[in-house]
Structures are given as structure tokens and as C-alpha cells.
Amino acid sequence: MGINDAKLNERIAELENELKTTKYNKRTQRAVGLLKAKIANLREEKHKKASTKLAFDSFAVRKTGDATAVLVGFPSAGKSTLLNRLTGAKSAVAAYAFTTLDVIPGVLQYKKTSIQILDVPGLIEGASEGKGRGREVIAAASSADLIIVLVDALHPEQVNVMKKELYNARIRMNLRKPEVKIAKKPSGGINLTGTFTNMTKDMAVALLRELKISNADVIIRDDLSPEELIDAVEGNRKYVPGIIAVNKSDLLDAAAKERINDMIHPDIFISAEHDACVDEMKELIFTRLGFVRVYCKEAGKEADMNEPMVLRKGATIKEVCEKLHREFVKRFRFARIWGKSVKFGGQKVLKLEHKVADEDIVEVHVS
């Protein structure tokens, strides 16, 4: 680590300590917001310094299938066992830490979709700073469509460390991207409109100035926290769905499960070793990925119900056309649809912006 990196880390630590010791109230909220913005600026500088190294430190795995999920957890959380249960992949399994030394891919075939699942080396404290194989693990998580955080039932506190490492690496799990429109201008200061209950308007303006925005028209469409406004201005966060799964649940009694549930609010309790709730885990993965399976048909013929076109929630007829043929968007006339996205079977749809629903049957007509 070079001297510049050391100084950056030292300055970040100083500001974080100041943030921890500052009591939050109406009088100090502006100062707290500015501290958060300064920390964000320094972290951004660190990320830029590390970006070249990160490019060389990524795992060489070709993405396949309809989506990719990454198993993230401390060493010995049971990721390899879960991968084997979900996909039949042969990932090394042992009852000690650091068994997985490289990325192990597997494929989960479920409800006519193909989901690539990656078992990566254990995520440890300091991973976002490059500790262990942290850079590779973070890179894999950043490029995933779903993050599965696997927690050892005997160490539920580990989830907070993993959440922090992902957060510090710009990954926003299970959060919605803030709606903020920023139009920079040469002069005139900051013209800010929006709803402000999580911070004052003055605090928002101060944050924007700290983030080097001095002249701009800013529209905030959500009621944001200071952290969310910082994320929106930086604009390089990865918003990705996630699952928190407690593994080795066979070691817990009902009281322990309830205590962990109150502590970390997991999505599911499983035991990969004993194949407990693994089927429920598959369904949860499928649901969180928000798949929309569309069955295509030609006029006068039956739809092929064996091979769906797999899209994601919010997909439109335009995306269906793009997948069928690159010229179909230009040549589109209308589509006939049978399914949940229309009022009656065979309804004629004229707009490319029409959103399709899961298991719709679509017949595209082009010129």
C-alpha cells in the first residue's frame, strides 16, 4: 500500500470516528451530513485509485444462462455445500475455512430458467479494501444479478460485516435507486426542489456543494436520506437484489431461531448439509430475480411452451422484438398477447412500450 493510500485510510478513519462521536440532533444534522459527504468523496478517490488493479483482479468466469447469482459469506459458512445442493456442481467441501480458493460455477435449472451460481472465496472483514481476495469477490458481486449472503447460524453477527463490506464497495443490496435529476448550469447557484423530511433543504444544498455541485437545477423525486442523496450524485452505485440465508439451521432450537430472526431479519433458514429448505431456497432465488417468461408463437401455429424467452420484470414488447431479431423493432406492426398483461386472450397490442407479464404468450407481427 502506497503512502497516499495510507493517508487516505487514516483520514477516512478520522472522519468515521468523528461521525460516531457526534450526537445527531437538529443542531448537528448539517455537520453530520457534511461528514458523510467528505467520507464519500475520500472513498470515491480510493475506488478510482484501485479501479485499474480491480480490472486485473477479477475472476475469469464467463457469464452464462438467464442470470447470475453470487454466493457471498465468511469462510466455512457452507457456500460450497449449498452450491452442490442447488446445482450439482462439485465444489470442494470441508469443515474448515478457506476451502474455496477460486470461483466455482454451477447452473441451477429451475422452472425453465437457467441460473448461473458462483461460489467465490470467503468474504472477510476488510474485503472492500482488498484484504484476502476481497477485490475479486467484490468484483464478482458487482457484476451479479443477485447476491446470496450466506450466514453461519452460530455466527449471525457476520451479516453486519458482510453488509458493510458490500456497502463500502458501492453495492446497494435490496435498495431502490434514488430518483434525482441534476442539470448543471454555468451560474445561478443551486435551485433545489423536492420533499425533505429525512434532512432539511439547507442540509441537502450543503451536501451538494460538498460534492462539488455549485450551480445546478436539482429535482429530488424521492424523500431521501443524506446517504441516498450522496449515492445519487456519485451515480456509480450498483443496485442489486439480495437474499440473506441462515445456514446450518439444524443446529438451532426454536428460541435461537427467533433470536436470530429478531437480530438480522433473514429471508430464510436452511441446512445445506441436510438438504433442509433447499427447494424453498430455489423458489426464493427465482422470485428475487424477477423473471418474466414469455412464450413466442407464429400466426396460425401453437406456441412453444417448452422454451420460454426469459426476460426480467418490467420487460416490454420492444425487448421481445429485440431478442427475436434486430430488425423487428423497426418493422413492428402489432402483437397479439394471451396472458396476464392483457384483458382478454389474443388482444391486439400496438405499443412497443407494453409491459409483458410472466407466462404471456406473444405473437409478433412485422411488416
Side-chain angles (χ1 to χ4, degrees), residues 340-359:
K340 298 172 190 172
S341 74
V342 290
K343 293 179 180 177
F344 56 88
Q347 183 175 327
K348 188 175 181 179
V349 174
L350 299 172
K351 292 184 178 180
L352 284 165
E353 294 78 21
H354 176 87
K355 289 182 181 179
V356 291
D358 188 37
E359 297 192 305

Side-chain angles (χ1 to χ4, degrees), residues 21-22 62 77 80 95 130 135 145 182-183 318 329 358 364 366:
T21 55
T22 302
R62 184 171 63 89
S80 298
R135 294 194 193 281
D145 302 296
I182 301 172
K318 182 180 179 182
V329 172
D358 188 37
V364 175
V366 296

Side-chain angles (χ1 to χ4, degrees), residues 81 85 156 169 181 273 278-279 281 297 309 313 348 362:
T81 305
R85 290 290 189 192
K181 185 178 179 183
E273 184 178 354
V278 172
D279 286 341
M281 184 72 179
K297 74 180 289 292
M309 177 186 291
K313 187 178 179 181
K348 188 175 181 179
V362 178

Side-chain angles (χ1 to χ4, degrees), residues 222-289:
D222 298 311
D223 190 8
L224 303 183
S225 66
E227 291 86 354
E228 289 171 322
L229 179 57
I230 292 167
D231 284 348
V233 173
E234 298 284 4
N236 54 9
R237 294 352 184 203
K238 174 68 187 290
Y239 294 85
V240 58
I243 293 170
I244 296 176
V246 175
N247 192 28
K248 307 179 187 177
S249 63
D250 54 295
L251 302 177
L252 304 174
D253 58 21
K257 276 189 180 180
E258 188 175 344
R259 187 170 62 252
I260 291 173
N261 202 43
D262 292 340
M263 185 191 306
I264 65 173
H265 310 293
D267 296 291
I268 190 169
F269 286 87
I270 65 169
S271 174
E273 184 178 354
H274 297 283
D275 203 15
C277 293
V278 172
D279 286 341
E280 289 86 343
M281 184 72 179
K282 291 177 182 179
E283 180 63 26
L284 185 56
I285 291 169
F286 176 85
T287 303
R288 285 291 164 89
L289 282 167

